[in-house]
Every structure is written in structure tokens, then in C-alpha cells.
Amino acid sequence: MQVRSRRGFLVTAAAITASASVGACRRRNDGSDDPLDVSASAHLPAAPESLAADGTTIVLGDPAAPLAVRLYEDMSCPACAEFETEGTAPYLKRAARNGALQLQFTLGSFLGPGSKSAANALRAAVDQQKFADYHGLLYRQQSRVRKSGGFTQDQLLGLAIMIPGLRGPEFDAAVLETKHRDFVEAADEVLRRSPVRGTPSMAIDGAFVPSDSHALFTDRNRLYRRLKKAARAEE
């Protein structure tokens, strides 16, 4: 997989994040003692969604989970869409739903106005507890939207109709009035000041994985083993 750099060129996918705190793991819904070993067929509850105290991080999952995996993305980045639809991102979301980790999102918007509009809309979706569903939908639709010029407010509202319970006066106003403009700019600044040189990027326990570890973005089993190693180091 490749990633689009903030500077406009493609680089090899890099880096995983996770900050960890010691805690008991919950049992997986299908009976496994290892909540990180969650299958695609597991029946899982929705993960809680929140904005972290820093005001720039969207958190999917329990903030007290034993691991935290940070993803750096731009909603207009084709490589991010590939990672979110065909790579290991769906596994990470299942692990967050299973209580194994908290998934932290830093949404950059270096690829233009469409990215800023999408980041603003996603921040509004957190208030409706619909971030995960909407985030996944936007990436599934990204290729089509990109052909028509990128995410616009009208397109974002039109797609939101597909998420039951998302559209409403509060969400619509937040999208149309760019309510979360400060969040968008602050999150983009966090990404700009980070070691990230391309998206998608990750880090585990605050340490970025070298760029030659791009298999962690595509191979579920390798990512699982990497997360297990991080979890053992925190015990």
C-alpha cells in the first residue's frame, strides 16, 4: 500500500501508534480469552465515541482500554480509503468494539477543502455517536466523490442520509455552518507537527513504526502479533 504525503508525493505506508495503560481485558463475545483476537464474524456492540481532552483526537472505544492505536488520516487520501476498506482498519475497529483497545483518530486536511469539510462533518457525527458508521461510509464512497470534485457540504449531507439517526437539525447546521472549524484546523496542525510524512500512518505506544513495516496496514495477523507484543510489554 502507498500513502499520499502532505507534500504531495507518494511514500511507503508507515507507522503505528498505541499508548497503553495496564488494565484487565474483557472477554470477546465469541468466547475467546483474547479480546485482540476478534474475528470478522464476531457479534459486537457499537463502540463509544468521544472527543479526547486535547480537543483534536476522536476516540473510538473505551478510553480506559489497555491499548491505544492512533491513526493519522486525510479523508481525501486514496491510500487511506484502501486501508479503511481493504486493509487492517476494519480489524482495528472490531478490536475497539471488543474492548481490546481505543482507536484514536487525528484527521488531517492537507489535501484541500474537501478534506476540511469531511473532517468537520465527522466531528459533528461524534456528537450523534455515528462517527464510526459515517467514517466508514465516506471512505467507501471516496472514489466516486473524488471524481466529482471531492467532498462538499451537499455531498456530505446527502451521504449522511444513509446513516440512520445521523441527519437532523444539529448535524445539518454543523455541516452547513462549519461549526467545528477550530477542530479541523487544530487537528491538521497536530498532524503537521507530528513525524507523519504520509497517510495513513499509525503509532503504537507513542512510537512510529518504520516505513518498511507497511504490512501492518494490510496483514491482520501481523498487526495482531504486533499489538500482542505491545500489550505484553505493558503488563
Side-chain angles (χ1 to χ4, degrees), residues 100-147:
L101 55 84
Q102 55 172 298
L103 194 53
Q104 303 172 336
F105 291 86
T106 296
L107 300 178
S109 50
F110 58 89
L111 290 178
S115 298
K116 293 182 183 297
S117 295
N120 174 73
L122 283 165
R123 170 61 186 88
V126 175
D127 294 336
Q128 310 302 321
Q129 293 292 292
K130 298 295 182 180
F131 169 82
D133 292 340
Y134 194 43
H135 180 259
L137 174 65
L138 294 187
Y139 272 128
R140 291 193 298 274
Q141 296 294 322
Q142 187 210 79
S143 177
R144 178 182 66 80
V145 171
R146 196 168 62 246
K147 291 176 182 177

Side-chain angles (χ1 to χ4, degrees), residues 2-233:
Q2 288 183 315
V3 296
R4 187 174 298 278
S5 164
R6 298 200 307 272
R7 296 175 179 151
F9 55 87
L10 294 179
V11 293
T12 306
I16 289 193
T17 281
S19 61
S21 60
V22 177
C25 294
R26 295 189 313 196
R27 287 179 62 86
R28 199 178 128 196
N29 283 15
D30 60 2
S32 172
D33 288 321
D34 183 359
L36 279 171
D37 188 20
V38 59
S39 70
S41 61
H43 297 288
L44 303 166
E49 301 174 3
S50 59
L51 184 68
D54 62 13
T56 63
T57 301
I58 294 174
V59 180
L60 182 63
D62 183 356
L67 287 176
V69 176
R70 183 174 296 271
L71 300 180
Y72 296 84
E73 298 181 340
D74 185 303
M75 294 306 298
S76 300
C77 170
C80 292
E82 181 182 355
F83 167 62
E84 287 284 347
T85 58
E86 302 175 23
T88 52
Y91 160 68
L92 288 170
K93 288 180 177 177
R94 291 195 303 273
R97 292 171 63 189
N98 206 31
L101 55 84
Q102 55 172 298
L103 194 53
Q104 303 172 336
F105 291 86
T106 296
L107 300 178
S109 50
F110 58 89
L111 290 178
S115 298
K116 293 182 183 297
S117 295
N120 174 73
L122 283 165
R123 170 61 186 88
V126 175
D127 294 336
Q128 310 302 321
Q129 293 292 292
K130 298 295 182 180
F131 169 82
D133 292 340
Y134 194 43
H135 180 259
L137 174 65
L138 294 187
Y139 272 128
R140 291 193 298 274
Q141 296 294 322
Q142 187 210 79
S143 177
R144 178 182 66 80
V145 171
R146 196 168 62 246
K147 291 176 182 177
S148 61
F151 291 110
T152 64
Q153 292 176 342
D154 287 344
Q155 288 171 325
L156 290 162
L157 290 175
L159 290 170
I161 294 174
M162 301 170 66
I163 306 297
L166 179 55
R167 287 291 301 270
E170 181 181 357
F171 176 80
D172 289 8
V175 172
L176 293 172
E177 299 169 11
T178 320
K179 176 182 177 180
H180 301 292
R181 174 182 298 108
D182 290 346
F183 162 82
V184 173
E185 297 300 332
D188 196 44
E189 180 66 10
V190 169
L191 191 149
R192 189 184 71 81
R193 292 178 176 274
S194 76
V196 171
R197 290 295 174 266
T199 56
S201 289
M202 291 189 276
I204 295 179
D205 204 17
F208 284 87
V209 175
S211 59
D212 59 0
S213 297
H214 58 274
L216 294 172
F217 290 80
T218 60
D219 188 325
R220 182 267 190 201
N221 291 331
R222 290 191 61 172
L223 178 55
Y224 165 75
R225 292 193 294 270
R226 177 66 178 83
L227 293 174
K228 286 294 291 181
K229 180 179 180 180
R232 286 194 296 268

